[in-house]
Amino acid sequence: MQIVEYFLSLQGEGKFAGRLAIFIRFAGCNFNCFGFDVKKEKNGKILRGCDTIRAVFTKEFKNDYKNLSKDELLTQVKRLKKDFSPIVVITGGEPTLHHKDKDFLGLLDELRALNLELHFESNASIFIDFNKYPIYKDCVFALSVKLSNSGLLKEERIKKEAIKNIVLNSKTSFYKFVLDEKIIKNDMAKKEIAEIINIASAEVFCMPMGSNEKELKKNAKEVAKFCIENGYNYSDRLHIRLWGSKEGV
């Protein structure tokens, strides 16, 4: 399995913000959200996308990944866990790209055997067969369904059956949306979120766009106001507030 990074930290976003968490970031994504306009240089080339560019641009970063077996990764999780009781956040990229993989499924089974709570961070674009792979029924899903500010076409980012399937079959799920001032003021955020909730109802958490504290501050008050006016939950981005663009935290 190609792993971008794994580390012990705090969940920075959404319903479980502040929880002690082991993050396992898998390489690979089916989207490149260039609309978020985060930039990173690699081998003299400027890459543009979201704040997990290393997981998305697999060709450019393949030599930076750790190729780990299920058992090797499990050993690292046990080392990080110590005597603590963290949640385990399976993230990417898009981790559900690997949801049928034998080693991936074996890892999830081993983690549950350790009584660790499994949380997926997903764009909800991939249909998961919960009956064939029942381990996912015991997982929490943070659904980062992309809005138009991602730069993606609607037919790319909105997969109705995949969204509905996760909401109906997972242990629990919630939406988390990244908003900027522009998408709020042109009323697209309100319209697009309402359309997604209409597909399948779940709690909504809205977060300010930004890859550093200055950018977060620019959008935070407008997002908070939007949440208050529309009855949604506000989520800050704790890891960016604390560590900025630093990786592995």
Side-chain angles (χ1 to χ4, degrees):
M1 293 181 286
Q2 287 191 312
I3 307 299
V4 180
E5 59 187 351
Y6 47 83
F7 54 92
L8 179 69
S9 188
L10 302 173
Q11 173 59 275
E13 300 176 344
K15 186 173 182 176
F16 297 90
R19 286 282 301 274
L20 184 69
I22 293 173
F23 287 83
I24 307 175
R25 189 178 305 284
F26 285 80
C29 193
N30 55 339
F31 291 165
N32 175 25
C33 300
F34 59 88
F36 295 148
D37 204 32
V38 177
K39 298 181 180 70
K40 190 175 183 67
E41 183 178 350
K42 182 67 174 178
N43 298 327
K45 182 180 179 182
I46 300 297
L47 306 175
R48 182 168 161 242
C50 67
D51 57 2
T52 58
I53 281 176
R54 288 184 300 151
V56 176
F57 287 86
T58 53
K59 181 179 178 181
E60 289 79 4
F61 287 94
K62 64 181 180 180
N63 293 328
D64 296 341
Y65 299 152
K66 302 174 180 71
N67 288 297
L68 300 177
S69 68
K70 168 181 68 71
D71 291 336
E72 288 172 331
L73 188 51
L74 187 64
T75 296
Q76 295 304 318
V77 171
K78 288 178 179 177
R79 177 183 62 82
L80 293 169
K81 177 186 178 299
K82 302 177 184 177
D83 294 325
F84 307 148
S85 298
I87 59 175
V88 176
V89 180
I90 311 295
T91 188
E94 178 48 49
T96 65
L97 285 172
H98 315 288
H99 80 276
K100 299 179 182 179
D101 181 80
K102 183 178 177 181
D103 278 351
F104 188 82
L105 289 163
L107 174 67
L108 299 183
D109 285 335
E110 295 276 9
L111 293 172
R112 284 299 297 127
L114 294 173
N115 292 318
L116 293 170
E117 187 174 302
L118 304 181
H119 291 216
F120 274 81
E121 296 190 333
S122 173
N123 59 34
S125 67
I126 295 172
F127 189 90
I128 298 170
D129 189 334
F130 281 81
N131 291 321
K132 187 174 182 179
Y133 308 110
I135 183 68
Y136 298 110
K137 293 180 180 180
D138 201 30
C139 297
V140 174
F141 280 78
L143 303 179
S144 297
V145 182
K146 303 311 175 192
L147 305 178
S148 58
N149 59 359
S150 66
L152 298 170
L153 297 174
K154 183 178 178 179
E155 54 265 32
E156 292 179 290
R157 54 188 173 80
I158 305 295
K159 302 295 183 181
K160 292 183 179 181
E161 292 306 313
I163 294 168
K164 188 185 301 182
N165 185 51
I166 293 173
V167 172
L168 292 178
N169 291 290
S170 60
K171 180 180 179 180
T172 188
S173 61
F174 61 93
Y175 296 111
K176 59 176 188 175
F177 299 107
V178 175
L179 306 181
D180 59 282
E181 189 175 18
K182 181 179 178 181
I183 196 173
I184 292 172
K185 289 193 172 181
N186 65 17
D187 286 331
M188 291 305 294
K190 183 175 181 178
K191 178 183 176 182
E192 291 177 20
I193 291 174
E195 184 177 355
I196 292 167
I197 295 170
N198 192 51
I199 296 169
S201 181
E203 281 188 284
V204 172
F205 289 80
C206 299
M207 310 179 296
M209 184 184 290
S211 59
N212 55 55
E213 189 169 10
K214 181 180 179 180
E215 292 173 2
L216 289 184
K217 186 176 181 180
K218 178 183 175 183
N219 292 308
K221 285 187 178 179
E222 200 65 39
V223 175
K225 180 183 176 184
F226 174 81
C227 289
I228 293 167
E229 290 176 348
N230 292 280
Y232 298 142
N233 302 295
Y234 176 86
S235 170
D236 207 60
R237 307 180 79 185
L238 178 64
H239 53 300
I240 297 175
R241 294 283 188 189
L242 294 175
W243 297 294
S245 60
K246 184 178 179 181
E247 297 166 344
V249 292

